[in-house]
Amino acid sequence: MTGSLERSVVEELVRKSVLKRLGRYAPESSGAPNPLVVNISARHCHLRQDAVEVLFGAGRELTPMKWLYQEGQFAAEEVVTLIGPRSRVISNLRILGPCRDINQIEISFTDAISLGFEVPVRNSGDIAGTPGCMLMGPAGFLKMNEGVIRAAPHVHMAPEDAAYYGVENKSYMRLRIKGRTGLTFDRIMVRVDPSFKLEVHLDTDEANACGLGPETPCELIK
């Protein structure tokens, strides 16, 4: 019994140390089944396999460069250039894999201003009626008639996390960011799936507004 307790303590300390070194925050244990992780989601895009082949050549598949916190998700080596209104561009837009069944680009409010068009806040996958753009890759161009969004803040969690917090899939929570420039986000959409790890995604504007860093205390509130 003692040995088992000591092992669990060691595992918790190692988990916290790893998360901090990765730039994530792991709160003190409070009975929660999993540590809370809040990550900054920089601008990126998700593409269908046929779109990857248009941009990079027939038969081309995404090459994992860095594995992300969610199981099976990765930042690819492949990047594209986004061409917006009046030929304003964002270069080196990272593709995240694996491929999906829709083409979607996620940028911040600041990015949208720089590109010169209005981009709505949407949940991932909800792209109907959103602006489009042109993507340029080494093998060709891809015209998107829709799919550019500002991703709504959201939290991924497993069923045990949802039970602990008393929430359901597609419900909303609040995220309290503490610290000198702390603030509270009132609409954090909940996504529940057995494969998910407990992780909140904020974009770069949102993270900068509250001074989010590796040591910043954060709290999810129903």
Side-chain angles (χ1 to χ4, degrees), residues 110-130:
T110 299
D111 291 330
I113 293 173
S114 176
L115 289 169
F117 63 165
E118 294 186 10
V119 177
V121 177
R122 294 285 185 89
N123 295 314
S124 183
D126 181 13
I127 61 172
T130 58

mmCIF file of all heavy atoms in Angstrom, residues 110-130:
data_model
loop_
_atom_site.group_PDB
_atom_site.id
_atom_site.type_symbol
_atom_site.label_atom_id
_atom_site.label_comp_id
_atom_site.label_asym_id
_atom_site.label_seq_id
_atom_site.Cartn_x
_atom_site.Cartn_y
_atom_site.Cartn_z
ATOM 1 N N THR A 110 -6.397 39.541 -34.603
ATOM 2 C CA THR A 110 -5.306 40.352 -35.138
ATOM 3 C C THR A 110 -4.928 39.918 -36.549
ATOM 4 O O THR A 110 -4.693 40.760 -37.429
ATOM 5 C CB THR A 110 -4.071 40.266 -34.221
ATOM 6 O OG1 THR A 110 -4.408 40.760 -32.916
ATOM 7 C CG2 THR A 110 -2.914 41.077 -34.775
ATOM 8 N N ASP A 111 -4.884 38.622 -36.787
ATOM 9 C CA ASP A 111 -4.604 38.113 -38.134
ATOM 10 C C ASP A 111 -5.658 38.593 -39.127
ATOM 11 O O ASP A 111 -5.340 39.000 -40.247
ATOM 12 C CB ASP A 111 -4.586 36.583 -38.135
ATOM 13 C CG ASP A 111 -3.397 35.995 -37.394
ATOM 14 O OD1 ASP A 111 -2.334 36.636 -37.375
ATOM 15 O OD2 ASP A 111 -3.550 34.893 -36.848
ATOM 16 N N ALA A 112 -6.926 38.534 -38.696
ATOM 17 C CA ALA A 112 -8.020 38.937 -39.585
ATOM 18 C C ALA A 112 -7.900 40.409 -39.962
ATOM 19 O O ALA A 112 -8.116 40.792 -41.120
ATOM 20 C CB ALA A 112 -9.368 38.665 -38.916
ATOM 21 N N ILE A 113 -7.557 41.245 -38.991
ATOM 22 C CA ILE A 113 -7.366 42.665 -39.266
ATOM 23 C C ILE A 113 -6.222 42.861 -40.254
ATOM 24 O O ILE A 113 -6.318 43.644 -41.204
ATOM 25 C CB ILE A 113 -7.086 43.437 -37.964
ATOM 26 C CG1 ILE A 113 -8.332 43.428 -37.070
ATOM 27 C CG2 ILE A 113 -6.653 44.869 -38.261
ATOM 28 C CD1 ILE A 113 -8.098 44.024 -35.700
ATOM 29 N N SER A 114 -5.138 42.140 -40.040
ATOM 30 C CA SER A 114 -3.977 42.243 -40.924
ATOM 31 C C SER A 114 -4.323 41.828 -42.353
ATOM 32 O O SER A 114 -3.853 42.433 -43.319
ATOM 33 C CB SER A 114 -2.832 41.376 -40.389
ATOM 34 O OG SER A 114 -1.733 41.379 -41.259
ATOM 35 N N LEU A 115 -5.161 40.793 -42.480
ATOM 36 C CA LEU A 115 -5.550 40.317 -43.806
ATOM 37 C C LEU A 115 -6.592 41.215 -44.457
ATOM 38 O O LEU A 115 -6.749 41.207 -45.676
ATOM 39 C CB LEU A 115 -6.099 38.888 -43.706
ATOM 40 C CG LEU A 115 -5.067 37.793 -43.410
ATOM 41 C CD1 LEU A 115 -5.766 36.490 -43.074
ATOM 42 C CD2 LEU A 115 -4.125 37.605 -44.595
ATOM 43 N N GLY A 116 -7.332 41.964 -43.637
ATOM 44 C CA GLY A 116 -8.281 42.913 -44.186
ATOM 45 C C GLY A 116 -9.680 42.393 -44.405
ATOM 46 O O GLY A 116 -10.392 42.883 -45.272
ATOM 47 N N PHE A 117 -10.109 41.397 -43.611
ATOM 48 C CA PHE A 117 -11.504 40.969 -43.718
ATOM 49 C C PHE A 117 -12.047 40.503 -42.373
ATOM 50 O O PHE A 117 -11.297 40.282 -41.424
ATOM 51 C CB PHE A 117 -11.705 39.926 -44.798
ATOM 52 C CG PHE A 117 -11.013 38.600 -44.633
ATOM 53 C CD1 PHE A 117 -11.404 37.532 -45.411
ATOM 54 C CD2 PHE A 117 -9.974 38.391 -43.722
ATOM 55 C CE1 PHE A 117 -10.780 36.288 -45.296
ATOM 56 C CE2 PHE A 117 -9.355 37.165 -43.601
ATOM 57 C CZ PHE A 117 -9.767 36.112 -44.405
ATOM 58 N N GLU A 118 -13.380 40.423 -42.297
ATOM 59 C CA GLU A 118 -14.043 40.025 -41.062
ATOM 60 C C GLU A 118 -14.161 38.513 -41.005
ATOM 61 O O GLU A 118 -14.586 37.871 -41.960
ATOM 62 C CB GLU A 118 -15.433 40.655 -40.973
ATOM 63 C CG GLU A 118 -15.417 42.171 -40.847
ATOM 64 C CD GLU A 118 -16.797 42.743 -40.624
ATOM 65 O OE1 GLU A 118 -17.742 41.952 -40.372
ATOM 66 O OE2 GLU A 118 -16.942 43.976 -40.718
ATOM 67 N N VAL A 119 -13.765 37.972 -39.856
ATOM 68 C CA VAL A 119 -13.793 36.519 -39.671
ATOM 69 C C VAL A 119 -14.615 36.217 -38.418
ATOM 70 O O VAL A 119 -14.299 36.719 -37.345
ATOM 71 C CB VAL A 119 -12.359 35.961 -39.521
ATOM 72 C CG1 VAL A 119 -12.401 34.460 -39.266
ATOM 73 C CG2 VAL A 119 -11.540 36.259 -40.774
ATOM 74 N N PRO A 120 -15.659 35.405 -38.516
ATOM 75 C CA PRO A 120 -16.516 35.133 -37.360
ATOM 76 C C PRO A 120 -15.894 34.152 -36.379
ATOM 77 O O PRO A 120 -15.039 33.342 -36.734
ATOM 78 C CB PRO A 120 -17.768 34.532 -38.001
ATOM 79 C CG PRO A 120 -17.249 33.830 -39.219
ATOM 80 C CD PRO A 120 -16.141 34.711 -39.729
ATOM 81 N N VAL A 121 -16.350 34.245 -35.127
ATOM 82 C CA VAL A 121 -15.970 33.270 -34.107
ATOM 83 C C VAL A 121 -16.881 32.054 -34.276
ATOM 84 O O VAL A 121 -18.102 32.174 -34.197
ATOM 85 C CB VAL A 121 -16.114 33.852 -32.688
ATOM 86 C CG1 VAL A 121 -15.788 32.786 -31.638
ATOM 87 C CG2 VAL A 121 -15.213 35.068 -32.519
ATOM 88 N N ARG A 122 -16.301 30.907 -34.523
ATOM 89 C CA ARG A 122 -17.069 29.690 -34.753
ATOM 90 C C ARG A 122 -16.429 28.505 -34.012
ATOM 91 O O ARG A 122 -15.227 28.482 -33.771
ATOM 92 C CB ARG A 122 -17.126 29.348 -36.244
ATOM 93 C CG ARG A 122 -17.893 30.355 -37.097
ATOM 94 C CD ARG A 122 -19.389 30.220 -36.902
ATOM 95 N NE ARG A 122 -20.124 31.100 -37.813
ATOM 96 C CZ ARG A 122 -20.512 30.760 -39.033
ATOM 97 N NH1 ARG A 122 -20.213 29.563 -39.524
ATOM 98 N NH2 ARG A 122 -21.182 31.621 -39.787
ATOM 99 N N ASN A 123 -17.267 27.519 -33.714
ATOM 100 C CA ASN A 123 -16.746 26.254 -33.224
ATOM 101 C C ASN A 123 -16.176 25.479 -34.406
ATOM 102 O O ASN A 123 -16.640 25.637 -35.544
ATOM 103 C CB ASN A 123 -17.856 25.445 -32.550
ATOM 104 C CG ASN A 123 -18.382 26.123 -31.304
ATOM 105 O OD1 ASN A 123 -17.609 26.593 -30.471
ATOM 106 N ND2 ASN A 123 -19.700 26.178 -31.165
ATOM 107 N N SER A 124 -15.182 24.682 -34.136
ATOM 108 C CA SER A 124 -14.535 23.924 -35.203
ATOM 109 C C SER A 124 -15.549 23.087 -35.960
ATOM 110 O O SER A 124 -16.393 22.408 -35.377
ATOM 111 C CB SER A 124 -13.451 23.024 -34.615
ATOM 112 O OG SER A 124 -12.775 22.328 -35.637
ATOM 113 N N GLY A 125 -15.487 23.147 -37.290
ATOM 114 C CA GLY A 125 -16.393 22.404 -38.141
ATOM 115 C C GLY A 125 -17.594 23.196 -38.599
ATOM 116 O O GLY A 125 -18.247 22.822 -39.577
ATOM 117 N N ASP A 126 -17.885 24.305 -37.926
ATOM 118 C CA ASP A 126 -19.022 25.144 -38.285
ATOM 119 C C ASP A 126 -18.535 26.242 -39.225
ATOM 120 O O ASP A 126 -18.250 27.363 -38.804
ATOM 121 C CB ASP A 126 -19.640 25.746 -37.021
ATOM 122 C CG ASP A 126 -20.855 26.630 -37.319
ATOM 123 O OD1 ASP A 126 -21.359 26.567 -38.457
ATOM 124 O OD2 ASP A 126 -21.272 27.369 -36.407
ATOM 125 N N ILE A 127 -18.437 25.921 -40.507
ATOM 126 C CA ILE A 127 -17.825 26.850 -41.451
ATOM 127 C C ILE A 127 -18.805 27.428 -42.467
ATOM 128 O O ILE A 127 -18.414 28.238 -43.304
ATOM 129 C CB ILE A 127 -16.655 26.183 -42.210
ATOM 130 C CG1 ILE A 127 -17.148 24.985 -43.025
ATOM 131 C CG2 ILE A 127 -15.554 25.769 -41.241
ATOM 132 C CD1 ILE A 127 -16.081 24.396 -43.940
ATOM 133 N N ALA A 128 -20.073 27.039 -42.397
ATOM 134 C CA ALA A 128 -21.053 27.540 -43.364
ATOM 135 C C ALA A 128 -21.159 29.059 -43.282
ATOM 136 O O ALA A 128 -21.322 29.631 -42.208
ATOM 137 C CB ALA A 128 -22.418 26.908 -43.109
ATOM 138 N N GLY A 129 -21.036 29.716 -44.435
ATOM 139 C CA GLY A 129 -21.161 31.164 -44.483
ATOM 140 C C GLY A 129 -19.941 31.936 -44.031
ATOM 141 O O GLY A 129 -19.996 33.160 -43.903
ATOM 142 N N THR A 130 -18.824 31.251 -43.817
ATOM 143 C CA THR A 130 -17.596 31.933 -43.402
ATOM 144 C C THR A 130 -16.805 32.379 -44.628
ATOM 145 O O THR A 130 -17.025 31.882 -45.740
ATOM 146 C CB THR A 130 -16.718 31.012 -42.532
ATOM 147 O OG1 THR A 130 -16.401 29.823 -43.279
ATOM 148 C CG2 THR A 130 -17.454 30.613 -41.258
#
